[in-house]
Amino acid sequence: MKLSLFFAGIAVAAVTAGAAQAGILVTYEAPGVTNTTATFDVLGTENFNTRALGVGGFATNFGGNGVISGQYSSTTQVNAGDQYGGEGGSNYAVTFGEGGYSLDITSTQNAAGVTYFGYYLPALDQGNVLELYSGATKIFTFNPATVLSAVGGNPLYFGKPDAPHQGQNSGEPYVFVNFYGTAGTHFDRVVFRETPAGGGYESDNHTVGYFKTITGTGVPEPATWAMMIIGFGAVGSMVRRSRPREAALA
């Protein structure tokens, strides 16, 4: 029994630790939250509300913080708000292909880039892959399976949470996801891909900055899930072995 509790403790600790890969910690916000709850030294958001609908590149100053600017690639598509995306019926970004689109980030505070990116990820599906780059080097790949697994048991995440399409598309979760660069990790490029292609990769409220506090619920990385499964398997194996012994003693 003590060993069972030990394995259970490992599993709980692993879940609360979050997903760290190449210095990136991933968390997600509570149901219905469409912006980050973290605090920042510098913060900026692109909400796409002033962007022309259709496909095309554009520059952004993320609300005019005077420190961080960005350039969206020519393959960026902006749609009007509907049941799949757009906070409060506002515009949102989307891609339907594996080529996707990119956001290049420039900062006057640090040439290496920023320490934070976050976005409202509506109509989340298994093809919504995000990549973070430092220069030409890809330092992190976000596989949405971990978030889907984490929020899948909570019905409060499913269906669009805000008017005018509240409750629609109830088969997919809507969640705000945070990516924190820890231990000095910075990045200057974000790539969005729908891979495998088969649906839309909608997103809104692209947020960049230099964070002060980390908030949200931690997302276990794939290796952590594997460790948890092994741990639970060991517990089950121990229980199966111990029962005959206890019966013999009885």
Side-chain angles (χ1 to χ4, degrees):
M1 184 171 178
K2 290 181 180 178
L3 189 57
S4 300
L5 294 174
F6 172 73
F7 276 115
I10 289 178
V12 171
V15 171
T16 56
Q21 177 190 150
I24 302 296
L25 176 72
V26 184
T27 72
Y28 61 94
E29 300 287 354
V33 175
T34 56
N35 287 277
T36 184
T37 59
T39 60
F40 296 82
D41 290 316
V42 179
L43 174 69
T45 301
E46 171 60 56
N47 60 22
F48 305 101
N49 293 342
T50 63
R51 307 303 170 189
L53 300 181
V55 180
F58 56 88
T60 177
N61 63 5
F62 295 105
N65 58 44
V67 175
I68 306 169
S69 57
Q71 178 66 47
Y72 284 87
S73 69
S74 61
T75 53
T76 306
Q77 180 170 331
V78 177
N79 282 6
D82 54 26
Q83 68 268 36
Y84 301 111
E87 178 191 9
S90 65
N91 295 350
Y92 64 93
V94 64
T95 182
F96 296 94
E98 296 190 8
Y101 66 96
S102 62
L103 165 62
D104 288 298
I105 302 167
T106 303
S107 171
T108 61
Q109 179 167 313
N110 193 313
V114 295
T115 62
Y116 173 87
F117 178 78
Y119 63 167
Y120 177 40
L121 185 47
L124 173 61
D125 67 58
Q126 62 183 358
N128 297 168
V129 174
L130 176 145
E131 299 165 342
L132 299 179
Y133 284 78
S134 176
T137 303
K138 181 166 64 176
I139 63 171
F140 180 83
T141 299
F142 170 60
N143 185 323
T146 51
V147 172
L148 285 166
S149 297
V151 305
N154 188 341
L156 295 178
Y157 281 102
F158 285 77
K160 201 163 191 301
D162 51 288
H165 301 283
Q166 189 171 14
Q168 295 182 16
N169 193 36
S170 59
E172 293 181 311
Y174 292 65
V175 60
F176 192 96
V177 184
N178 303 292
F179 302 89
Y180 301 95
T182 61
T185 300
H186 292 70
F187 47 89
D188 56 11
R189 192 173 203 229
V190 186
V191 176
F192 309 81
R193 308 183 192 278
E194 176 67 9
T195 178
Y201 187 176
E202 301 86 4
S203 63
D204 199 1
N205 296 344
H206 290 189
T207 305
V208 296
Y210 298 95
F211 69 91
K212 290 195 299 185
T213 62
I214 293 174
T215 59
T217 301
V219 178
E221 58 186 318
T224 300
W225 284 117
M227 183 183 74
M228 290 167 63
I229 292 170
I230 292 171
F232 288 130
V235 171
S237 176
M238 186 196 75
V239 170
R240 284 193 299 271
R241 288 196 303 268
S242 64
R243 282 176 180 168
R245 193 178 306 147
E246 291 167 358
L249 290 173

